[in-house]
Amino acid sequence: MTLLQTLLHVTNFRNPFLRTLVPSIATAFAIQGAVAVPSILAQSERFYDFSGAITHLSVTALSLYLPTLRARAAASLAGTLKPGFPSLLAAFTGTGGPHGLNWRQVVLSTAVSIWATRLGSYLFQRALADGDSRFDEIKKSPSRFFGTFVAQAVWVSICLLPVLALNSIPHTLLSTLPLLTLTDIAGLSLFLGGFALEVTADRQKNAWVAAKKRKEHDEDFLTSGLWSKSRHPNYFGESTLWTGIAVTAAGVLASGVGLRGMGMSGMGAAGRVVGLGLCAASPAFVTFLLLKVSGVPLSEDKYDKRMGNISHAKAKNS
């Protein structure tokens, strides 16, 4: 029995949601631990945000293909023909076979992948060019630095809860849902709007910073474009897009189909609360981090130290 077969056997719980959740979260912590060791030794934060993107991509892909991996492992042990990996396009035609995917699983997994690739590459390029002042003191302490990688694994795990739960449901059950629902439309609209807002805000800030480096202006604060409407439009966009993912998944997870798929059909109303809670935890946690931990506080503290009291800027740009 190979290592992969052993891991799949150990995590082959009776509850279908746990069969996806446990190996997915374990993968998040494994990747972060693997990146943490060389980063601590080198006292370098260059790959921190990049590893977060890679972890999002890896965990999402794993949750999507876990049923097929289990079926292939079982076939290998039995000496029978291994099933092929499902086609992503077949998810939209309903011709994926017994190990196929549902369009909602593919769309939400793709949405996360696009977001992670875009933001991860953006932050990685910024870290290579300018470093990351958040880690100036933290990286000097191995325990504190390691703690940031653990925190990132927790962040990935909680953010992806709606997607992990949705991907744990067999497509044969999901295919019994209406083709398109109001929560699908509302959720995907929120994701697209939030993603567009985040990308636009980041591009406007990049252009402003580049212009300042070329000495085309001497402004201390960006107060044009989206930044004239909000102090942190990029953070608002990120919170919004995760809300969209949660709303789309909630339409499934709070339904009878979702409860059966996650092995919670006997829980009644409590099961629906759990399903909605799994979805709500994602945008709530993201918003909490941005407002209280790693987003707004660090950004504004940096300007407080550099400029002194910035209350005049806050009043101007709120």
Side-chain angles (χ1 to χ4, degrees):
M1 185 178 289
T2 65
L3 177 60
L4 175 61
Q5 290 172 334
T6 301
L7 292 174
L8 291 175
H9 176 72
V10 171
T11 59
N12 193 25
F13 301 99
R14 293 182 62 183
N15 182 280
F17 176 48
L18 292 180
R19 281 202 300 269
T20 298
L21 181 68
V22 173
S24 297
I25 290 180
T27 298
F29 279 87
I31 294 174
Q32 288 301 299
V35 177
V37 173
S39 297
I40 291 171
L41 293 175
Q43 290 191 356
S44 173
E45 76 283 4
R46 295 300 174 93
F47 293 96
Y48 181 78
D49 288 313
F50 183 72
S51 72
I54 292 298
T55 305
H56 271 97
L57 292 170
S58 301
V59 172
T60 300
L62 176 64
S63 69
L64 197 62
Y65 289 109
L66 256 177
T68 304
L69 290 173
R70 293 190 187 281
R72 289 173 63 87
S76 178
L77 289 175
T80 58
L81 183 65
K82 296 180 181 178
F85 287 95
S87 164
L88 297 180
L89 293 178
F92 298 91
T93 61
T95 58
H99 302 291
L101 301 169
N102 179 262
W103 75 264
R104 291 177 179 86
Q105 295 171 321
V106 173
V107 167
L108 287 194
S109 297
T110 301
V112 170
S113 299
I114 292 173
W115 167 82
T117 301
R118 203 287 307 182
L119 185 60
S121 58
Y122 167 75
L123 294 177
F124 183 53
Q125 291 173 358
R126 190 176 70 177
L128 290 177
D130 304 316
D132 193 333
S133 59
R134 295 177 300 171
F135 294 93
D136 288 347
E137 296 300 321
I138 293 176
K139 64 185 178 183
K140 297 176 184 178
S141 168
S143 60
R144 290 182 64 196
F145 201 14
F146 181 76
T148 63
F149 286 93
V150 173
Q152 184 153 252
V154 173
W155 169 59
V156 172
S157 301
I158 295 179
C159 277
L160 290 180
L161 278 177
V163 178
L164 298 181
L166 182 66
N167 287 350
S168 72
I169 302 173
H171 87 101
T172 51
L173 273 177
L174 293 175
S175 64
T176 64
L177 290 168
L179 180 61
L180 192 66
T181 66
L182 287 177
T183 52
D184 295 327
I185 297 171
L188 295 177
S189 297
L190 283 170
F191 172 82
L192 291 173
F195 184 73
L197 192 63
E198 183 178 52
V199 171
T200 302
D202 284 341
R203 287 182 176 177
Q204 289 177 350
K205 185 174 182 180
N206 273 351
W208 181 83
V209 171
K212 187 168 185 175
K213 288 181 178 179
R214 295 192 300 267
K215 300 187 182 304
E216 295 177 7
H217 68 80
D218 60 354
E219 299 173 352
D220 292 323
F221 303 99
L222 172 56
T223 57
S224 60
L226 292 175
W227 299 82
S228 67
K229 308 299 181 183
S230 169
R231 291 206 303 274
H232 305 284
N234 52 341
Y235 297 154
F236 179 72
E238 181 158 346
S239 180
T240 300
L241 70 87
W242 282 108
T243 300
I245 289 174
V247 168
T248 305
V252 176
L253 300 185
S255 70
V257 168
L259 295 181
R260 287 198 301 275
M262 293 190 295
M264 299 181 184
S265 56
M267 296 177 62
R272 297 182 190 277
V273 171
V274 171
L276 291 174
L278 290 171
C279 296
S282 175
F285 188 67
V286 168
T287 303
F288 170 76
L289 288 180
L290 292 175
L291 291 180
K292 300 297 183 181
V293 182
S294 64
V296 173
L298 290 179
S299 177
E300 298 197 349
D301 284 350
K302 179 177 69 175
Y303 280 101
D304 277 336
K305 292 177 181 178
R306 182 186 303 173
M307 307 299 299
N309 187 354
I310 62 170
S311 59
H312 66 285
K314 292 181 180 179
K316 179 181 179 181
N317 189 24
S318 59

